[in-house]
């Protein structure tokens, strides 16, 4: 009689615990896709660094081609399509790396926005970053395919990355205000943004500065802290 009296509550408790574990596993599986802050903070600046190196080498190669006689300027409307075919692997690789880097920063912006507790800037920052990543991909595809011509206005070329950078900067500022990111990291990230923006071909240097600025985010949170948050 004693066993039959105690077993139903024990079974109910076990079922409740199993259901809680199952629901927790479901939530973890749903949020793991966005919760990649340490990996994104490490790899995305390195991808941007690779883009800077490839773009620099590609710029030297294009400068050498422009010095040769018989450029593509006399081809009229066909110049864009022929130029797309003549760009070579370096131009395509630089465009792909830029799209991957901007997409990574947009992903990082959304992941960091989920960690904010008080300032409601996660949604506008995510919208800015996502729109910037989409614009960057569209412009890069149009440039490589020749649909947008060989020479693009700077505002069209860098508009997408600037929007993504604005979204990331907004989230980093909010994290600093909430005391979850050192002030020095925010200042170094701002310096990196200035270095990346100047038209002096300093993309590799700016990428390394940004990598250092995001260094505190590359450390995985302690398990105890994660348990305390949950």
């Amino acid at each position: 009689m004693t066993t039959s009296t105690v077993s139903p509550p024990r079974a109910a408790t076990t079922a409740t615990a199993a259901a809680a574990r199952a629901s927790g596993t479901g939530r973890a599986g749903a949020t793991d896709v966005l919760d990649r802050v340490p990996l994104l903070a490490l790899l995305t600046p390195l991808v941007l660094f690779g883009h800077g190196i490839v773009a620099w080498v590609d710029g030297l190669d294009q400068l050498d081609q422009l010095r040769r006689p018989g450029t593509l300027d006399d081809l009229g409307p066909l110049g864009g399509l022929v130029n797309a075919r003549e760009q070579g692997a370096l131009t395509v690789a630089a465009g792909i790396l830029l799209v991957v880097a901007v997409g990574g920063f947009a992903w990082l912006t959304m992941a960091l926005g989920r960690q904010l507790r008080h300032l409601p800037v996660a949604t506008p920052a995510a919208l800015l970053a996502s729109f910037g990543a989409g614009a960057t991909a569209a412009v890069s595809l149009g440039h490589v395919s020749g649909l947008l011509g060989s020479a693009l206005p700077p505002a069209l070329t860098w508009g997408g990355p600037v929007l993504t950078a604005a979204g990331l900067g907004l989230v980093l500022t909010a994290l600093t205000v909430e005391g979850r990111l050192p002030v020095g990291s925010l200042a170094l990230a701002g310096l990196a943004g200035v270095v990346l923006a100047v038209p002096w071909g300093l993309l590799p240097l700016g990428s390394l500065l940004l990598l250092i600025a995001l260094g505190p985010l590359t450390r995985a949170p302690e398990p105890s802290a994660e348990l305390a948050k949950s």
Side-chain angles (χ1 to χ4, degrees), residues 2 26 164 203 205:
T2 304
T164 302
L203 283 176
L205 176 60

Side-chain angles (χ1 to χ4, degrees), residues 115-120 172-181:
Q115 297 183 0
L116 294 175
R117 299 180 181 177
H118 305 293
L119 298 179
L172 292 179
T173 303
L175 287 173
T176 304
V177 171
E178 291 188 358
R180 309 187 64 183
L181 187 71

Side-chain angles (χ1 to χ4, degrees), residues 4-153:
S4 61
T5 304
V6 177
S7 293
R10 183 176 301 174
T13 304
T14 305
T16 304
R21 286 195 300 269
S23 62
T25 304
R27 286 194 301 268
T31 58
D32 262 354
V33 178
L34 291 178
D35 196 9
R36 292 288 185 269
V37 171
L39 189 61
L40 290 171
L42 175 64
L43 293 184
T44 309
L46 294 178
V47 175
L48 186 61
F49 176 81
H51 161 73
I53 295 296
V54 174
W56 179 69
V57 176
D58 185 44
L60 293 180
D61 183 63
Q62 289 183 1
L63 182 61
D64 181 65
Q65 290 181 4
L66 289 176
R67 290 173 179 171
R68 300 174 186 173
T71 58
L72 300 172
D73 296 334
D74 300 330
L75 294 179
L78 296 178
L81 183 58
V82 176
N83 187 33
R85 294 180 179 177
E86 295 293 333
Q87 285 176 13
L90 285 179
T91 302
V92 176
I96 292 175
L97 288 175
L98 179 61
V99 171
V100 172
V102 176
F105 283 121
W107 192 357
L108 178 63
T109 301
M110 290 185 288
L112 290 175
R114 293 176 57 252
Q115 297 183 0
L116 294 175
R117 299 180 181 177
H118 305 293
L119 298 179
V121 300
T123 299
L127 290 176
L128 279 175
S130 301
F131 185 79
T136 302
V139 170
S140 179
L141 179 62
H143 179 57
V144 171
S145 63
L147 297 176
L148 296 180
S150 57
L152 299 178

